[in-house]
Amino acid sequence: MRVEITGKNIDVTAAIHDRITSRFEKLEKWQVTLINPHAVISEEPGSKFKVEAGVSVPGAKLIASAEHEDMYAAINEVGHKLEKQLNKQAHKGEARRASHVDVPAEEPDVV
């Protein structure tokens, strides 16, 4: 998978690239096509790292961002947010079904 990674005020090393790519690869377990995955990592004033990531899937665009003192924790948090959005998107059809459809009607007692 080819992930576009941009660094602002920070050099993107091989370790950073591998971590971000592995987080996007975990999204493939949902068996959807990931279109144009990209991530922007920046170092904010005050020794905080901000990671913003986005990916398009058929029918939706997923965007997440996280800020943390530890860069790898921010990357993991963004990955979890994207997974949560993808899970919600994958089960959207199930959530919209009426709950009363599967309930059988009770028949009155005949005396």
Side-chain angles (χ1 to χ4, degrees):
M1 170 190 307
R2 187 176 181 282
V3 180
E4 182 182 332
I5 301 172
T6 306
K8 292 184 181 178
N9 300 331
I10 191 169
D11 292 329
V12 179
T13 63
I16 296 170
H17 188 274
D18 290 343
R19 176 64 68 98
I20 292 173
T21 304
S22 70
R23 290 308 300 175
F24 276 107
E25 286 174 353
K26 286 188 177 184
L27 297 177
E28 291 179 338
K29 73 178 180 182
W30 295 101
Q31 299 176 351
V32 295
T33 305
L34 301 179
I35 304 166
N36 194 22
H38 64 280
V40 178
I41 184 165
S42 60
E43 187 173 4
E44 299 291 319
S47 299
K48 282 197 170 193
F49 293 96
K50 183 175 184 179
V51 179
E52 299 169 329
V55 65
S56 295
V57 295
K61 182 163 177 73
L62 311 177
I63 299 172
S65 70
E67 227 176 277
H68 204 276
E69 289 90 17
D70 183 22
M71 178 178 45
Y72 294 106
I75 293 170
N76 287 338
E77 189 175 336
V78 165
H80 289 299
K81 287 180 179 182
L82 288 174
E83 277 188 78
K84 190 174 183 180
Q85 289 179 27
L86 192 56
N87 182 24
K88 185 176 180 180
Q89 183 69 25
H91 295 95
K92 195 173 195 177
E94 296 171 13
R96 291 184 179 218
R97 292 188 187 140
S99 61
H100 64 278
V101 173
D102 295 333
V103 179
E106 293 184 31
E107 297 187 22
D109 294 331
V110 178
V111 179

